[in-house]
Amino acid sequence: MKAFVYQAVGKKALEERPKPKISAPTDAIVKIVKTTICGTDLRILKGDVPTCQPGRVLGHEGVGIIDEVGSAVAAYKAGDRVLISCISACGKCVYCRKLMYSHCTTGGWILGNTIDGTQAEFVRIPYADTSLYPILTGADEDALVMLSDILPTGFECGVLNGKIQPGGTVAIVGAGPIGLAALLTSQFYSPSEIIMIDLDSNRLDVAKRFGATDCVNSDDGKAVDKILKMTGGRGVDTVIEAVGIPATFELCEKLVAPGGRIANIGVHGVKVDLHLENLWDRNITIATRLVDASSTPMLLNLLRVGKIEPKLLITHHFPLTHILEAYETFAEAARTHALKVIIEA
Amino acid sequence: MKAFVYQAVGKKALEERPKPKISAPTDAIVKIVKTTICGTDLRILKGDVPTCQPGRVLGHEGVGIIDEVGSAVAAYKAGDRVLISCISACGKCVYCRKLMYSHCTTGGWILGNTIDGTQAEFVRIPYADTSLYPILTGADEDALVMLSDILPTGFECGVLNGKIQPGGTVAIVGAGPIGLAALLTSQFYSPSEIIMIDLDSNRLDVAKRFGATDCVNSDDGKAVDKILKMTGGRGVDTVIEAVGIPATFELCEKLVAPGGRIANIGVHGVKVDLHLENLWDRNITIATRLVDASSTPMLLNLLRVGKIEPKLLITHHFPLTHILEAYETFAEAARTHALKVIIEA
Amino acid sequence: MKAFVYQAVGKKALEERPKPKISAPTDAIVKIVKTTICGTDLRILKGDVPTCQPGRVLGHEGVGIIDEVGSAVAAYKAGDRVLISCISACGKCVYCRKLMYSHCTTGGWILGNTIDGTQAEFVRIPYADTSLYPILTGADEDALVMLSDILPTGFECGVLNGKIQPGGTVAIVGAGPIGLAALLTSQFYSPSEIIMIDLDSNRLDVAKRFGATDCVNSDDGKAVDKILKMTGGRGVDTVIEAVGIPATFELCEKLVAPGGRIANIGVHGVKVDLHLENLWDRNITIATRLVDASSTPMLLNLLRVGKIEPKLLITHHFPLTHILEAYETFAEAARTHALKVIIEA
Amino acid sequence: MKAFVYQAVGKKALEERPKPKISAPTDAIVKIVKTTICGTDLRILKGDVPTCQPGRVLGHEGVGIIDEVGSAVAAYKAGDRVLISCISACGKCVYCRKLMYSHCTTGGWILGNTIDGTQAEFVRIPYADTSLYPILTGADEDALVMLSDILPTGFECGVLNGKIQPGGTVAIVGAGPIGLAALLTSQFYSPSEIIMIDLDSNRLDVAKRFGATDCVNSDDGKAVDKILKMTGGRGVDTVIEAVGIPATFELCEKLVAPGGRIANIGVHGVKVDLHLENLWDRNITIATRLVDASSTPMLLNLLRVGKIEPKLLITHHFPLTHILEAYETFAEAARTHALKVIIEA
């Protein structure tokens, strides 16, 4: 089968690989229908994710059709259409039994990381019963691909950790795909303001269309002043970090109101300065999270009734044979205005 | 009247001052019976608390007797014995109506900071109805002084922010008075382990008597290894920072388990390094708080029925006339083994 | 001044009364601009509310202009435009300090009940600082009248007590004004379904316009079957009782899913049958509440940004001189299709 | 093997039965070491539990040794000592993924109900990986039997549902084994008062030894008056129903304070009167629950460190061959003073 492989730092290719096989009774083999590329895949290609070694088939998102199941898989059979979660959950370990699937002792984020992933014609899914979701006939599968990772991540790490409340204020630092996913799912809780902050005017225009009530371009260094002014000097109840660098995290520290929350989504490569000399008495919380994808059933419900439009995030489509072009388009988002790209296998 | 005054950086004295007067209809004048010294008072004397200017009568803790009340005070009359909260709360502003009294727009921590405090024969208490608590006849007033600040602080900033659960694990970094207050109040929630960490063996012995299940002296640089070993490599569910310097906060970052909480009590003077490169995917929260003293009624209940023994914290007694000696004893705790000192007016 | 008075069971009139006076330093006198009629007012006139005795000026909702304030009122001065909360809160008692203003030991629901109310040219408001809200210039005062009682009641007793979640299912039994208020505010939390149940097709049509996803006329006795079918046999996550009679409460018991919540808004005059023989093992909660109006600031925020349209509830306008006609219109809602009527003083 | 069988209403015997076999890959066969009798077993024998048909081996509690495991069982192997949960959980269904194991679509309370149970030499345990717990060497297995059902039930249905808080007040109606289990586990949260109510003075004496702060014998019809007096007229924050008849539930309705909770543990056979005419405006919640046994890991932790003494509940021991005598002793508790009886296989 065809599979997209991380060959070495900066080196990648669509290779011919053997079709994966069932290796545990809880496994399923899924024929990929659609997949996508995540910002994390770009970080792997740069060599920034040490758990993912060269030779790996990338990809942890997608929808597909069950090809074969192991003897202990009860919920699926060959031919079923399924959504693949980016998180594999055994359903039994101490973390799974707290719904903290991200830290499953034998699962978590392993697809396209420590085992081969979804940017291929077929993928082996461990713990199929607790890591796949059935797709209703007629569902929009482009939209569903957005429920593998980006929407649960924006929702769980940003919205839930940020404890957004009706009538509260929200600021999201970073209007890339993940910040926009947080923006879309923030609206489930009816905040009164959602302020989007970025350096790229194009992305802020997109944010406006996605429901941001205010947009602030931070390139003039005045974002803090502007936002404090907007909030009567109080700051913002929920600040979501959706970039992953020190400067943006420290911006969040300056924006958060007394009693407020900073919810971190960004993948950080280095430490940040935490200004406890200012924050120790501000009654704030800072929360981090690797997505557990425990919210996927809820998101499927809201998608079914049309209360969320994940397709807003999709800007490009490519066949699997053109995945290198898809990567290029996704990586050069400032030029291509790409958000999420769909790859059809 | 006699009053203990911060005169200049490093300069302090027991001065003669005029008795305070009612200046707003919500004020009460309280004759001090007992007060105490807080670590924050020492920081003021070093010039580290810019809101508190020379000339200030210090002290934000104590019990006393109502001397006079303003026309709008409904709950108290002259002769009533009262507990003084370290936090003044108007009861009306946006923060008070969220029970976040620490950020009361015209109150908060003002006693012995921006207005004269309790280390004197009399004190003016603003917002008396919502900043004092009635004392039942026969109550132990030494014990009650511990409910002005140190016990609500240990409980709210450490225990509540740390979301201690029955059967959970707790580590407290710093076995000074405030760490010990957190230790005492942690036990309200029946954690299975409470590990106390300090450099001073004497303080760790005290912690053992106060209910710590394990004590770790961190002077050999092996505290992290030891505690990870104690917890099967997982780390600790709730880590409480009770010192206020970068080294101890960063120790907390290394101890916290996936899904765990860091609750900061320490008063920090400088920034700390937050290792988000390790913590971004660990599903943790960090919480800061200036005590709201919203838990005081609950603590009074538990004191009444003997479920907490605040007197364990009291090591010395002095008359107000000897307050300079009291300060010296408190400041040199390593030598004197002082925890909290009671000053009788 | 003119005032609408409950004279005896079934007897009411617009009387001439003396203008109220400040009687405590925390009082304000408010000149009424607009008020409305509540279902509870009709119950008083029938003699069903024993705390409200003949001779009482009715009304607990409205907006107005401060005429005079007592010496301890800090937040308002003559000329300020204010929203009147149906709940008077001292801000100091044990219940107020839990934000349970409904049970304020000297306040709660007293306006138009145990003290004279708002259906008059002037009203005395106790605890003005904590029982009024400032109105921004240019705000729509018709809409604001809906924030005195009906919207906080629908939200707190129905939506908050029912713990509505994104993607959850909701059923509301009763499509009268209060059920519709619950319907409007349910949408703050993005449930996937909101099923409205009533006997009156006209009201169900209104519900549809207000955002109900499904409407069930229960006149054929098949509401339970239909709704169980809609929910795959599971039942409904949140069931809101908005009528106040045994039949409707017992309908809720049949609709609630395992793990679900019944939130009671209805004012009940007699006991109901609680079928614990069916419910003891269903992991459900039943919650009751008299509105605390603690959500008023949040509702004001959402009104300001246009995220709620309270004016949908207003069907009629009358001058105070025609209040008898207003009562007749409101009481005969089946004929007049009245929801809420605005009375202008 | 020997097995205790419900033969017909009122008819029971120790029969010879074939040893159970693995019937699904997720099953384990457990050799019973110790088991016990539950009040529910008595109800089955009276014919009051329609899901349990004659011919059934009873029992849903116990500890044992793994005899054999199915091919998909990962956590256990022959020879492992295990605690058996009264609740079987597949770990995969919609309810299991909400930690609501009691409503597992293919599990829940099935042992000794719809499949053969633990009062036998061997038992088949479905979903072994998620329905058994490992026992540490040297653990007290008598104490552990109390963690199969009675302690998680008292804790989850009574204490968690009753949201007991430090410094809060608790009343428990019914001092039988399950009421006493609630009493023991209530203390995890340090309430200031725990008032025990029963008609049997002996049981109240036991309750006093188990930590009740007050005991009220309700045989004089004055329990409500006495308890209201004890609580300054306010009523009780958390009222736990541990009997299961209308009179005791209605007693709870009279005891609950404004803002309080009624937590139902009792198994009810008939409806009760819910006096909503008194309770609609009292801001209370009523919660029901079939134990999920999701708290078992936490209880195991607290048992390990000695923070709970389940053996207080054990009054008698019998060999399996004398199980009829054990049933008689347990059924006639008023005479025998039996709480829980241990049966050794």
Side-chain angles (χ1 to χ4, degrees), chain A residues 25-26 71-74 89 91-92 96-99 101 129-133 293, chain D residues 25 71-74 89 91-92 96-99 101 129-133 293:
Chain A
T26 46
S71 61
V73 173
K92 301 174 174 183
C96 282
R97 298 189 75 171
K98 292 179 183 176
L99 308 184
Y101 303 131
D129 277 343
T130 38
S131 309
L132 297 172
Y133 292 88
Chain D
S71 61
V73 173
K92 300 173 175 182
C96 282
R97 296 189 79 170
K98 291 178 184 178
L99 308 184
Y101 304 130
D129 277 343
T130 38
S131 309
L132 297 173
Y133 292 90

mmCIF file of all heavy atoms in Angstrom, chain A residues 25-26 71-74 89 91-92 96-99 101 129-133 293, chain D residues 25 71-74 89 91-92 96-99 101 129-133 293:
data_model
loop_
_atom_site.group_PDB
_atom_site.id
_atom_site.type_symbol
_atom_site.label_atom_id
_atom_site.label_comp_id
_atom_site.label_asym_id
_atom_site.label_seq_id
_atom_site.Cartn_x
_atom_site.Cartn_y
_atom_site.Cartn_z
ATOM 1 N N PRO A 25 -5.819 -9.034 19.761
ATOM 2 C CA PRO A 25 -7.247 -9.319 19.521
ATOM 3 C C PRO A 25 -8.129 -8.079 19.579
ATOM 4 O O PRO A 25 -9.257 -8.093 19.094
ATOM 5 C CB PRO A 25 -7.610 -10.314 20.634
ATOM 6 C CG PRO A 25 -6.490 -10.305 21.600
ATOM 7 C CD PRO A 25 -5.278 -9.794 20.899
ATOM 8 N N THR A 26 -7.604 -6.987 20.149
ATOM 9 C CA THR A 26 -8.381 -5.741 20.248
ATOM 10 C C THR A 26 -8.124 -4.788 19.078
ATOM 11 O O THR A 26 -8.657 -3.690 19.043
ATOM 12 C CB THR A 26 -8.038 -5.037 21.577
ATOM 13 O OG1 THR A 26 -6.615 -5.056 21.735
ATOM 14 C CG2 THR A 26 -8.674 -5.749 22.758
ATOM 15 N N SER A 71 -10.199 -10.667 17.375
ATOM 16 C CA SER A 71 -11.233 -11.533 17.955
ATOM 17 C C SER A 71 -11.953 -10.898 19.133
ATOM 18 O O SER A 71 -13.072 -11.286 19.473
ATOM 19 C CB SER A 71 -10.605 -12.850 18.400
ATOM 20 O OG SER A 71 -9.620 -12.574 19.387
ATOM 21 N N ALA A 72 -11.350 -9.912 19.781
ATOM 22 C CA ALA A 72 -11.992 -9.309 20.955
ATOM 23 C C ALA A 72 -12.694 -7.998 20.628
ATOM 24 O O ALA A 72 -13.185 -7.331 21.527
ATOM 25 C CB ALA A 72 -10.957 -9.090 22.062
ATOM 26 N N VAL A 73 -12.762 -7.633 19.357
ATOM 27 C CA VAL A 73 -13.460 -6.387 18.990
ATOM 28 C C VAL A 73 -14.952 -6.682 18.884
ATOM 29 O O VAL A 73 -15.361 -7.560 18.112
ATOM 30 C CB VAL A 73 -12.915 -5.813 17.668
ATOM 31 C CG1 VAL A 73 -13.754 -4.619 17.201
ATOM 32 C CG2 VAL A 73 -11.458 -5.397 17.840
ATOM 33 N N ALA A 74 -15.749 -5.960 19.672
ATOM 34 C CA ALA A 74 -17.182 -6.256 19.740
ATOM 35 C C ALA A 74 -18.038 -5.250 18.991
ATOM 36 O O ALA A 74 -19.131 -5.570 18.528
ATOM 37 C CB ALA A 74 -17.621 -6.305 21.205
ATOM 38 N N ALA A 89 -7.177 4.372 23.374
ATOM 39 C CA ALA A 89 -7.500 4.203 24.794
ATOM 40 C C ALA A 89 -7.820 2.743 25.078
ATOM 41 O O ALA A 89 -8.736 2.183 24.472
ATOM 42 C CB ALA A 89 -8.699 5.073 25.158
ATOM 43 N N GLY A 91 -9.124 1.630 27.768
ATOM 44 C CA GLY A 91 -10.392 1.557 28.495
ATOM 45 C C GLY A 91 -10.281 0.894 29.855
ATOM 46 O O GLY A 91 -11.278 0.784 30.574
ATOM 47 N N LYS A 92 -9.110 0.486 30.248
ATOM 48 C CA LYS A 92 -8.974 -0.304 31.475
ATOM 49 C C LYS A 92 -7.977 0.254 32.483
ATOM 50 O O LYS A 92 -8.073 -0.046 33.667
ATOM 51 C CB LYS A 92 -8.483 -1.713 31.094
ATOM 52 C CG LYS A 92 -9.387 -2.464 30.156
ATOM 53 C CD LYS A 92 -8.713 -3.772 29.735
ATOM 54 C CE LYS A 92 -9.651 -4.630 28.901
ATOM 55 N NZ LYS A 92 -9.019 -5.919 28.558
ATOM 56 N N CYS A 96 -7.381 5.657 31.899
ATOM 57 C CA CYS A 96 -8.628 5.508 31.131
ATOM 58 C C CYS A 96 -9.832 5.537 32.060
ATOM 59 O O CYS A 96 -10.878 6.084 31.717
ATOM 60 C CB CYS A 96 -8.610 4.203 30.330
ATOM 61 S SG CYS A 96 -7.607 4.326 28.825
ATOM 62 N N ARG A 97 -9.683 4.956 33.269
ATOM 63 C CA ARG A 97 -10.807 4.925 34.196
ATOM 64 C C ARG A 97 -11.030 6.257 34.890
ATOM 65 O O ARG A 97 -11.945 6.401 35.705
ATOM 66 C CB ARG A 97 -10.646 3.762 35.162
ATOM 67 C CG ARG A 97 -10.661 2.455 34.344
ATOM 68 C CD ARG A 97 -10.729 1.246 35.178
ATOM 69 N NE ARG A 97 -12.078 1.072 35.710
ATOM 70 C CZ ARG A 97 -12.464 -0.023 36.346
ATOM 71 N NH1 ARG A 97 -11.626 -1.017 36.525
ATOM 72 N NH2 ARG A 97 -13.696 -0.121 36.801
ATOM 73 N N LYS A 98 -10.193 7.247 34.561
ATOM 74 C CA LYS A 98 -10.478 8.647 34.946
ATOM 75 C C LYS A 98 -10.862 9.456 33.720
ATOM 76 O O LYS A 98 -10.856 10.687 33.778
ATOM 77 C CB LYS A 98 -9.219 9.292 35.542
ATOM 78 C CG LYS A 98 -8.777 8.744 36.854
ATOM 79 C CD LYS A 98 -7.501 9.499 37.272
ATOM 80 C CE LYS A 98 -6.961 8.930 38.565
ATOM 81 N NZ LYS A 98 -5.688 9.590 38.928
ATOM 82 N N LEU A 99 -11.082 8.815 32.589
ATOM 83 C CA LEU A 99 -11.400 9.475 31.318
ATOM 84 C C LEU A 99 -10.230 10.329 30.821
ATOM 85 O O LEU A 99 -10.405 11.215 30.000
ATOM 86 C CB LEU A 99 -12.674 10.329 31.443
ATOM 87 C CG LEU A 99 -13.889 9.613 32.015
ATOM 88 C CD1 LEU A 99 -15.099 10.540 31.999
ATOM 89 C CD2 LEU A 99 -14.188 8.326 31.282
ATOM 90 N N TYR A 101 -7.780 9.703 28.745
ATOM 91 C CA TYR A 101 -7.301 8.753 27.742
ATOM 92 C C TYR A 101 -5.929 9.140 27.194
ATOM 93 O O TYR A 101 -5.176 8.293 26.734
ATOM 94 C CB TYR A 101 -8.288 8.652 26.583
ATOM 95 C CG TYR A 101 -9.687 8.269 26.979
ATOM 96 C CD1 TYR A 101 -10.793 8.987 26.530
ATOM 97 C CD2 TYR A 101 -9.928 7.176 27.817
ATOM 98 C CE1 TYR A 101 -12.082 8.632 26.882
ATOM 99 C CE2 TYR A 101 -11.221 6.819 28.181
ATOM 100 C CZ TYR A 101 -12.292 7.551 27.713
ATOM 101 O OH TYR A 101 -13.578 7.202 28.067
ATOM 102 N N ASP A 129 -12.419 -0.917 19.923
ATOM 103 C CA ASP A 129 -13.727 -0.635 20.537
ATOM 104 C C ASP A 129 -13.762 0.709 21.245
ATOM 105 O O ASP A 129 -14.819 1.340 21.336
ATOM 106 C CB ASP A 129 -14.087 -1.734 21.548
ATOM 107 C CG ASP A 129 -14.701 -2.959 20.890
ATOM 108 O OD1 ASP A 129 -15.155 -2.868 19.732
ATOM 109 O OD2 ASP A 129 -14.728 -4.018 21.552
ATOM 110 N N THR A 130 -12.642 1.140 21.778
ATOM 111 C CA THR A 130 -12.629 2.377 22.559
ATOM 112 C C THR A 130 -11.833 3.504 21.887
ATOM 113 O O THR A 130 -11.584 4.539 22.506
ATOM 114 C CB THR A 130 -12.066 2.094 23.974
ATOM 115 O OG1 THR A 130 -11.001 1.143 23.868
ATOM 116 C CG2 THR A 130 -13.139 1.515 24.875
ATOM 117 N N SER A 131 -11.472 3.300 20.620
ATOM 118 C CA SER A 131 -10.684 4.329 19.926
ATOM 119 C C SER A 131 -11.274 4.707 18.565
ATOM 120 O O SER A 131 -10.714 5.546 17.861
ATOM 121 C CB SER A 131 -9.237 3.841 19.749
ATOM 122 O OG SER A 131 -8.727 3.393 20.996
ATOM 123 N N LEU A 132 -12.386 4.094 18.209
ATOM 124 C CA LEU A 132 -13.102 4.432 16.977
ATOM 125 C C LEU A 132 -14.521 4.855 17.332
ATOM 126 O O LEU A 132 -15.024 4.527 18.408
ATOM 127 C CB LEU A 132 -13.166 3.205 16.046
ATOM 128 C CG LEU A 132 -11.840 2.663 15.526
ATOM 129 C CD1 LEU A 132 -12.060 1.341 14.791
ATOM 130 C CD2 LEU A 132 -11.160 3.678 14.606
ATOM 131 N N TYR A 133 -15.171 5.553 16.408
ATOM 132 C CA TYR A 133 -16.567 5.942 16.599
ATOM 133 C C TYR A 133 -17.343 5.604 15.344
ATOM 134 O O TYR A 133 -16.838 5.849 14.235
ATOM 135 C CB TYR A 133 -16.681 7.446 16.901
ATOM 136 C CG TYR A 133 -16.091 7.760 18.227
ATOM 137 C CD1 TYR A 133 -14.740 8.063 18.349
ATOM 138 C CD2 TYR A 133 -16.857 7.664 19.388
ATOM 139 C CE1 TYR A 133 -14.170 8.284 19.596
ATOM 140 C CE2 TYR A 133 -16.297 7.878 20.637
ATOM 141 C CZ TYR A 133 -14.955 8.181 20.732
ATOM 142 O OH TYR A 133 -14.406 8.383 21.965
ATOM 143 N N ALA A 293 -9.727 13.377 23.917
ATOM 144 C CA ALA A 293 -10.764 12.990 22.961
ATOM 145 C C ALA A 293 -11.952 12.335 23.667
ATOM 146 O O ALA A 293 -12.696 11.580 23.069
ATOM 147 C CB ALA A 293 -10.193 12.096 21.865
ATOM 148 N N PRO D 25 -14.333 -14.310 26.003
ATOM 149 C CA PRO D 25 -12.879 -14.127 26.183
ATOM 150 C C PRO D 25 -12.528 -13.134 27.283
ATOM 151 O O PRO D 25 -11.402 -13.123 27.762
ATOM 152 C CB PRO D 25 -12.405 -13.620 24.812
ATOM 153 C CG PRO D 25 -13.618 -13.252 24.039
ATOM 154 C CD PRO D 25 -14.767 -13.990 24.619
ATOM 155 N N SER D 71 -9.289 -15.434 26.939
ATOM 156 C CA SER D 71 -8.136 -15.053 26.119
ATOM 157 C C SER D 71 -7.922 -13.543 26.048
ATOM 158 O O SER D 71 -6.829 -13.080 25.742
ATOM 159 C CB SER D 71 -8.322 -15.608 24.705
ATOM 160 O OG SER D 71 -9.501 -15.038 24.141
ATOM 161 N N ALA D 72 -8.966 -12.753 26.338
ATOM 162 C CA ALA D 72 -8.806 -11.298 26.231
ATOM 163 C C ALA D 72 -8.561 -10.629 27.580
ATOM 164 O O ALA D 72 -8.524 -9.411 27.664
ATOM 165 C CB ALA D 72 -10.037 -10.693 25.559
ATOM 166 N N VAL D 73 -8.401 -11.423 28.634
ATOM 167 C CA VAL D 73 -8.136 -10.828 29.946
ATOM 168 C C VAL D 73 -6.645 -10.526 30.060
ATOM 169 O O VAL D 73 -5.819 -11.416 29.898
ATOM 170 C CB VAL D 73 -8.598 -11.766 31.086
ATOM 171 C CG1 VAL D 73 -8.175 -11.217 32.446
ATOM 172 C CG2 VAL D 73 -10.114 -11.943 31.030
ATOM 173 N N ALA D 74 -6.327 -9.258 30.311
ATOM 174 C CA ALA D 74 -4.920 -8.847 30.293
ATOM 175 C C ALA D 74 -4.364 -8.624 31.688
ATOM 176 O O ALA D 74 -3.167 -8.751 31.916
ATOM 177 C CB ALA D 74 -4.780 -7.561 29.478
ATOM 178 N N ALA D 89 -18.585 -4.212 34.621
ATOM 179 C CA ALA D 89 -18.493 -3.058 33.712
ATOM 180 C C ALA D 89 -17.740 -3.454 32.458
ATOM 181 O O ALA D 89 -16.590 -3.885 32.539
ATOM 182 C CB ALA D 89 -17.763 -1.916 34.412
ATOM 183 N N GLY D 91 -16.656 -1.443 30.258
ATOM 184 C CA GLY D 91 -15.603 -0.454 30.006
ATOM 185 C C GLY D 91 -15.719 0.249 28.666
ATOM 186 O O GLY D 91 -14.892 1.105 28.331
ATOM 187 N N LYS D 92 -16.726 -0.080 27.874
ATOM 188 C CA LYS D 92 -16.783 0.434 26.505
ATOM 189 C C LYS D 92 -18.087 1.162 26.160
ATOM 190 O O LYS D 92 -18.111 1.973 25.240
ATOM 191 C CB LYS D 92 -16.664 -0.735 25.521
ATOM 192 C CG LYS D 92 -15.387 -1.518 25.651
ATOM 193 C CD LYS D 92 -15.432 -2.750 24.748
ATOM 194 C CE LYS D 92 -14.135 -3.509 24.756
ATOM 195 N NZ LYS D 92 -14.171 -4.669 23.843
ATOM 196 N N CYS D 96 -20.463 3.219 30.647
ATOM 197 C CA CYS D 96 -19.121 2.981 31.209
ATOM 198 C C CYS D 96 -18.203 4.153 30.900
ATOM 199 O O CYS D 96 -17.376 4.535 31.724
ATOM 200 C CB CYS D 96 -18.529 1.686 30.667
ATOM 201 S SG CYS D 96 -19.204 0.219 31.476
ATOM 202 N N ARG D 97 -18.372 4.759 29.724
ATOM 203 C CA ARG D 97 -17.492 5.873 29.356
ATOM 204 C C ARG D 97 -17.900 7.170 30.021
ATOM 205 O O ARG D 97 -17.273 8.211 29.827
ATOM 206 C CB ARG D 97 -17.413 5.988 27.834
ATOM 207 C CG ARG D 97 -16.742 4.699 27.288
ATOM 208 C CD ARG D 97 -16.428 4.778 25.855
ATOM 209 N NE ARG D 97 -15.216 5.564 25.676
ATOM 210 C CZ ARG D 97 -14.572 5.644 24.520
ATOM 211 N NH1 ARG D 97 -15.017 4.987 23.461
ATOM 212 N NH2 ARG D 97 -13.493 6.356 24.420
ATOM 213 N N LYS D 98 -18.958 7.116 30.830
ATOM 214 C CA LYS D 98 -19.264 8.221 31.752
ATOM 215 C C LYS D 98 -18.976 7.810 33.193
ATOM 216 O O LYS D 98 -19.434 8.485 34.124
ATOM 217 C CB LYS D 98 -20.755 8.569 31.669
ATOM 218 C CG LYS D 98 -21.210 9.192 30.390
ATOM 219 C CD LYS D 98 -22.718 9.420 30.481
ATOM 220 C CE LYS D 98 -23.256 9.950 29.175
ATOM 221 N NZ LYS D 98 -24.731 10.121 29.242
ATOM 222 N N LEU D 99 -18.328 6.684 33.390
ATOM 223 C CA LEU D 99 -18.048 6.137 34.726
ATOM 224 C C LEU D 99 -19.327 5.757 35.457
ATOM 225 O O LEU D 99 -19.328 5.634 36.674
ATOM 226 C CB LEU D 99 -17.211 7.120 35.559
ATOM 227 C CG LEU D 99 -15.935 7.642 34.891
ATOM 228 C CD1 LEU D 99 -15.164 8.515 35.869
ATOM 229 C CD2 LEU D 99 -15.070 6.505 34.386
ATOM 230 N N TYR D 101 -20.957 2.930 35.743
ATOM 231 C CA TYR D 101 -20.876 1.488 35.509
ATOM 232 C C TYR D 101 -22.170 0.760 35.883
ATOM 233 O O TYR D 101 -22.463 -0.305 35.346
ATOM 234 C CB TYR D 101 -19.716 0.888 36.304
ATOM 235 C CG TYR D 101 -18.371 1.507 36.025
ATOM 236 C CD1 TYR D 101 -17.542 1.925 37.058
ATOM 237 C CD2 TYR D 101 -17.916 1.666 34.715
ATOM 238 C CE1 TYR D 101 -16.297 2.484 36.806
ATOM 239 C CE2 TYR D 101 -16.665 2.230 34.457
ATOM 240 C CZ TYR D 101 -15.870 2.635 35.507
ATOM 241 O OH TYR D 101 -14.645 3.192 35.253
ATOM 242 N N ASP D 129 -11.253 -7.703 33.507
ATOM 243 C CA ASP D 129 -10.269 -6.612 33.603
ATOM 244 C C ASP D 129 -10.846 -5.356 34.237
ATOM 245 O O ASP D 129 -10.122 -4.585 34.867
ATOM 246 C CB ASP D 129 -9.733 -6.249 32.204
ATOM 247 C CG ASP D 129 -8.612 -7.174 31.755
ATOM 248 O OD1 ASP D 129 -8.024 -7.881 32.602
ATOM 249 O OD2 ASP D 129 -8.332 -7.186 30.542
ATOM 250 N N THR D 130 -12.132 -5.126 34.047
ATOM 251 C CA THR D 130 -12.732 -3.890 34.554
ATOM 252 C C THR D 130 -13.727 -4.137 35.693
ATOM 253 O O THR D 130 -14.436 -3.225 36.099
ATOM 254 C CB THR D 130 -13.408 -3.123 33.399
ATOM 255 O OG1 THR D 130 -14.033 -4.068 32.519
ATOM 256 C CG2 THR D 130 -12.410 -2.313 32.608
ATOM 257 N N SER D 131 -13.763 -5.363 36.220
ATOM 258 C CA SER D 131 -14.715 -5.674 37.291
ATOM 259 C C SER D 131 -14.051 -6.334 38.490
ATOM 260 O O SER D 131 -14.731 -6.672 39.462
ATOM 261 C CB SER D 131 -15.829 -6.579 36.741
ATOM 262 O OG SER D 131 -16.382 -6.013 35.555
ATOM 263 N N LEU D 132 -12.755 -6.523 38.440
ATOM 264 C CA LEU D 132 -11.986 -7.074 39.564
ATOM 265 C C LEU D 132 -10.902 -6.062 39.939
ATOM 266 O O LEU D 132 -10.535 -5.213 39.136
ATOM 267 C CB LEU D 132 -11.316 -8.397 39.162
ATOM 268 C CG LEU D 132 -12.238 -9.560 38.786
ATOM 269 C CD1 LEU D 132 -11.414 -10.729 38.245
ATOM 270 C CD2 LEU D 132 -13.068 -10.013 39.983
ATOM 271 N N TYR D 133 -10.397 -6.206 41.154
ATOM 272 C CA TYR D 133 -9.282 -5.363 41.608
ATOM 273 C C TYR D 133 -8.223 -6.255 42.228
ATOM 274 O O TYR D 133 -8.559 -7.177 42.973
ATOM 275 C CB TYR D 133 -9.764 -4.329 42.634
ATOM 276 C CG TYR D 133 -10.668 -3.339 41.973
ATOM 277 C CD1 TYR D 133 -12.041 -3.556 41.904
ATOM 278 C CD2 TYR D 133 -10.145 -2.220 41.344
ATOM 279 C CE1 TYR D 133 -12.867 -2.680 41.230
ATOM 280 C CE2 TYR D 133 -10.965 -1.328 40.676
ATOM 281 C CZ TYR D 133 -12.319 -1.568 40.624
ATOM 282 O OH TYR D 133 -13.127 -0.698 39.944
ATOM 283 N N ALA D 293 -19.608 1.694 41.850
ATOM 284 C CA ALA D 293 -18.334 1.126 42.300
ATOM 285 C C ALA D 293 -17.149 1.780 41.594
ATOM 286 O O ALA D 293 -16.074 1.198 41.488
ATOM 287 C CB ALA D 293 -18.322 -0.395 42.140
#
